[in-house]
Amino acid sequence: MTATNTAPAAGVWAPLMLIGTGALAMAVVEMRNPGYDLVSETLSRYVNGTAGRLLPAALLAVGVASAALAVRLGAGTRRSGRAALAVWTGGVLVAALFPADPPGHWSSPSLSELVHGNAAFLAFAALPTAAVLLRETLAARRPGLRTALSALTVASVVATAALAVFLVDVMDGGPSLGLGGAPTLVGLVERLVLAADLGWIALALTATRPRDEHGWDPRA
């Protein structure tokens, strides 16, 4: 029996549901806080708004699902890719435990904000790295997903690079990279990164589903 079909028997549905639950919780927080500007304000700030407790819960759900993905990948997977995925997982979990400051505190962050921000930065940098390193392994397990995996990998890399530019601008005395009435697009770009990253994790989980789960062969 190969490493491809020896993933844990717990199944892929539980971590997939966690990803969906996390994404839904983030959407609910967005809808419950219409006063926040989703174009210029990072999602982390919403923890201080209405239903803000949903945000750390969402991050915990994503972190646990990511840990499940790391386990399902198995020892036969590229070690550097699994290490990058572990950094993403740890960063997400730490960011969940240390909330961000309210809006407008970019220049005078609290200790919790510093921990949250650095953990999130590491996580955002690690996920596209893991996506690049693990793409061939996952595509080999499920060739039918190769195109989608490649597209989400590129999307994650490009969006993360753009996010880094906007974050540096904001922390360096900006924001100046805005559009119309929005002083910066950092919030919008962050949401694009999250969409690409959560999509990649969900697809990667699907690719790890072993052939003996309801008779589905992931190599098909």
Side-chain angles (χ1 to χ4, degrees):
M1 184 175 293
T2 65
T4 300
N5 53 27
T6 58
V12 74
W13 296 114
L16 280 175
M17 288 180 64
L18 284 174
I19 290 293
T21 300
L24 178 61
M26 293 179 190
V28 170
V29 174
E30 291 270 19
M31 292 185 292
R32 293 293 302 276
N33 291 276
Y36 282 54
D37 185 0
L38 63 86
V39 173
S40 61
E41 200 62 67
T42 59
L43 186 61
S44 297
R45 307 293 185 180
Y46 284 50
V47 70
N48 301 282
T50 304
R53 291 183 179 180
L54 286 177
L55 187 56
L59 293 176
L60 286 173
V62 171
V64 172
S66 300
L69 172 59
V71 172
R72 292 181 67 85
L73 285 170
T77 311
R78 192 171 180 178
R79 183 176 299 177
S80 56
R82 287 188 287 119
L85 184 60
V87 172
W88 153 267
T89 301
V92 170
L93 293 174
V94 170
L97 298 176
F98 291 85
D101 289 343
H105 287 69
W106 288 102
S107 60
S108 55
S110 66
L111 177 59
S112 181
E113 165 69 21
L114 288 172
V115 174
H116 175 92
N118 282 291
F121 181 83
L122 286 174
F124 281 137
L127 197 282
T129 303
V132 170
L133 293 172
L134 296 173
R135 185 179 64 88
E136 285 301 322
T137 297
L138 293 169
R141 294 187 179 190
R142 185 84 190 281
L145 295 179
R146 179 180 295 274
T147 299
L149 284 166
S150 296
L152 285 173
T153 297
V154 171
S156 179
V157 170
V158 172
T160 300
L163 179 61
V165 172
F166 280 97
L167 286 174
V168 169
D169 176 67
V170 170
M171 292 185 290
D172 195 38
S176 59
L177 300 175
L179 181 67
T184 178
L185 306 182
V186 65
L188 178 61
V189 176
E190 181 202 43
R191 284 157 179 78
L192 293 175
V193 172
L194 285 170
D197 290 353
L198 295 187
W200 183 87
I201 294 169
L203 204 61
L205 281 164
T206 302
T208 65
R209 187 175 181 181
R211 70 173 71 183
D212 59 351
E213 287 190 18
H214 306 295
W216 182 25
D217 187 344
R219 298 174 299 176

